[in-house]
Amino acid sequence: MSAPTTNESGTLRAGVIGLGWAGQQHMDAYAQLDGVELVALAGLEPDKLALLGDQYGVPPERRFGDWSELVAADCVDVVSVATPNNLHAPVTVAALDAGLHVLSEKPMADTGAAAQTMVDAARRNSQVLDITFNHRRRGDVQALKQVVASGVLGDIYYAKAGWLRKEGIPGLGSWFTQQSASGGGPLMDIGVHMLDMALFLLGEPDVTSATASTYAEFGPRGQGASAYGPWAKTDGATPDFDVEDLATAFLRLGGGGTLLLESSWAQWIPYDQCYVTLYGTEGGASIEWGGFPATYRKLGIWTQKDGVPAELTPYVPEDGQHLQAVTDFVSAVRAGANVEHDGSEALARARVVDACYASAAQRQEISLGS
Ligand SMILES: NC(=O)c1ccc[n+]([C@@H]2O[C@H](COP(=O)([O-])OP(=O)(O)OC[C@H]3O[C@@H](n4cnc5c(N)ncnc54)[C@H](O)[C@@H]3O)[C@@H](O)[C@H]2O)c1
């Protein structure tokens, strides 16, 4: 275990690289935590840098353009990486090698190989590396996790997880829709949240093989752009779009289970549809949410008690989301828990995503080993 990192006063100095929606969630979280000071920001938009720097009281000399300037400035103990996906690995490896602990946004990286370099750097430097899977910190997911752990559902042999957007390509032509910057479309962007949620609920089974198909039916025609959020709708007829806008996968799990995973940015459906469904020998459960944007959320658990069909209504705690992800990261840093927090769980997800893209390209099942 490495010693907890703090400055002389015991305060953890935090930096955030990336000024978009995601980076701002990390800024908000650090600003709320006791014993943590947000002291540095980096991002390519000077106006936003000035605005956010003022908002969070970051001194002008610690507002950087390129990420490398922040890492080289030796002014933080921990850093969040909320840049386009292809920068997660190079920024994280450089930051870990500079002695910082890192919380990277999801997806871990644009490829499994890049994700592996992040884990290697965390281990080499005995530093904490966490990846922000905020959805698993939601109250309904935490409640269902407890139900699964109690054994009420018996052996879960089948699961389905999906996030299908009606009209939600995040900026046609933005880095999200360009393979070289994002590494992929909705599977990389939102499918990975559902993969994480499902594997978390299932108790981290190995994924032994993947069979997947991908499609790009909306983006290349300039259709399906997000109608909400910070990403402006564009009307470009030939947008930069060389990723999928729908991915579907059949994943075999160690122990014989199966997980179906689907994700899309645009579909002819009435509203966004998101779900995780678990099928066990003694009970079943599902979390569903949807609408446009989310207008409903349902947690259902079905089993039997003494031969009588029963529905459980567990206590659902408040959502954790980004604040909880940042809190957990800071706790791991303070505890010096770099062995349990070396990014390896997220690497397993990155390898599954890789296998799905390889399967789709080769139109055959891809083995992930044992
Ligand atoms: N966990 C979640 O729920 C969630 C939600 C949205 C996005 N994300 C992830 O967060 C990341 C960022 O997404 P976003 O929507 O905020 O993107 P964005 O495009 O709004 O912001 C990206 C930021 O990265 C900065 N950046 C790019 N190159 C840089 C460089 N060389 N040096 C310093 N900064 C640089 C840009 O200036 C910009 O401020 C992505 O990986 C995305 O997948 C996660």
Side-chain angles (χ1 to χ4, degrees):
M1 288 225 262
S2 67
T5 311
T6 51
N7 66 7
E8 279 165 15
S9 67
T11 302
L12 213 55
R13 300 164 305 168
V16 175
I17 298 172
L19 310 174
W21 184 86
Q24 291 176 43
Q25 307 312 302
H26 292 252
M27 295 170 206
D28 262 354
Y30 287 125
Q32 288 183 53
L33 294 183
D34 288 338
V36 180
E37 207 182 335
L38 180 60
V39 299
L41 296 177
L44 301 180
E45 302 82 8
D47 292 356
K48 244 183 188 174
L49 193 59
L51 201 73
L52 292 166
D54 288 350
Q55 184 179 332
Y56 290 101
V58 172
E61 66 276 16
R62 293 206 180 129
R63 302 175 190 176
F64 305 97
D66 195 69
W67 63 268
S68 55
E69 298 165 38
L70 186 153
V71 170
D74 193 22
C75 63
V76 297
D77 307 303
V78 302
V79 69
S80 285
V81 180
T83 60
N85 304 341
N86 65 328
L87 288 179
H88 291 183
V91 176
T92 295
V93 170
L96 289 165
D97 283 344
L100 310 183
H101 302 276
V102 176
L103 175 60
S104 171
E105 262 301 338
K106 57 45 68 177
M108 185 169 190
D110 51 341
T111 66
Q116 180 71 59
T117 66
M118 297 163 77
V119 172
D120 292 346
R123 291 181 179 157
R124 178 167 72 237
N125 293 289
S126 300
Q127 299 289 99
V128 170
L129 168 60
D130 273 353
I131 308 303
T132 315
F133 283 116
N134 43 309
H135 281 275
R136 70 153 75 173
R137 271 110 178 163
R138 287 164 37 155
D140 48 3
V141 180
Q142 292 295 324
L144 183 51
K145 177 73 177 163
Q146 264 198 308
V147 170
V148 171
S150 77
V152 163
L153 304 184
D155 290 332
I156 302 167
Y157 52 93
Y158 183 46
K160 297 194 290 193
W163 184 330
L164 303 174
R165 283 189 184 151
K166 171 183 164 67
E167 203 180 17
I169 297 177
L172 270 171
S174 75
W175 67 262
F176 276 98
T177 67
Q178 297 174 48
Q179 167 76 29
S180 58
S182 62
L187 174 60
M188 194 59 95
D189 181 31
I190 48 181
V192 77
H193 272 306
M194 305 315 294
L195 175 64
D196 177 70
M197 207 184 274
L199 294 179
F200 172 68
L201 289 169
L202 292 170
E204 297 301 325
D206 288 336
V207 176
T208 58
S209 73
T211 304
S213 297
T214 58
Y215 301 88
E217 303 296 342
F218 289 75
R221 291 189 283 154
Q223 296 182 3
S226 177
Y228 58 90
W231 306 285
K233 222 172 161 142
T234 59
D235 296 322
T238 52
D240 285 334
F241 192 102
D242 60 358
V243 294
E244 86 282 5
D245 52 32
L246 181 144
T248 181
F250 177 96
L251 307 175
R252 292 186 196 280
L253 306 178
T258 300
L259 169 60
L260 293 187
L261 178 68
E262 57 179 2
S263 53
S264 78
W265 274 339
Q267 279 297 292
W268 294 115
I269 50 177
Y271 46 78
D272 293 9
Q273 298 163 352
C274 311
Y275 62 89
V276 181
T277 313
L278 307 179
Y279 301 84
T281 52
E282 311 303 324
S286 84
I287 289 175
E288 280 177 57
W289 76 100
F292 187 78
T295 53
Y296 73 89
R297 254 208 223 180
K298 286 190 276 189
L299 167 63
I301 298 155
W302 303 276
T303 181
Q304 59 171 338
K305 176 90 175 106
D306 301 329
V308 180
E311 197 169 339
L312 300 185
T313 311
Y315 168 73
V316 176
E318 271 188 31
D319 283 347
Q321 296 270 15
H322 271 84
L323 177 58
Q324 194 58 51
V326 173
T327 302
D328 293 348
F329 167 64
V330 165
S331 300
V333 169
R334 289 214 167 101
N338 55 292
V339 175
E340 309 91 77
H341 293 260
D342 65 355
S344 47
E345 225 174 69
L347 171 60
R349 281 107 175 99
R351 292 187 66 234
V352 173
V353 169
D354 258 13
C356 289
Y357 285 129
S359 169
Q362 298 169 28
R363 301 201 65 76
Q364 63 180 15
E365 186 170 61
I366 300 293
S367 171
L368 281 130
S370 62

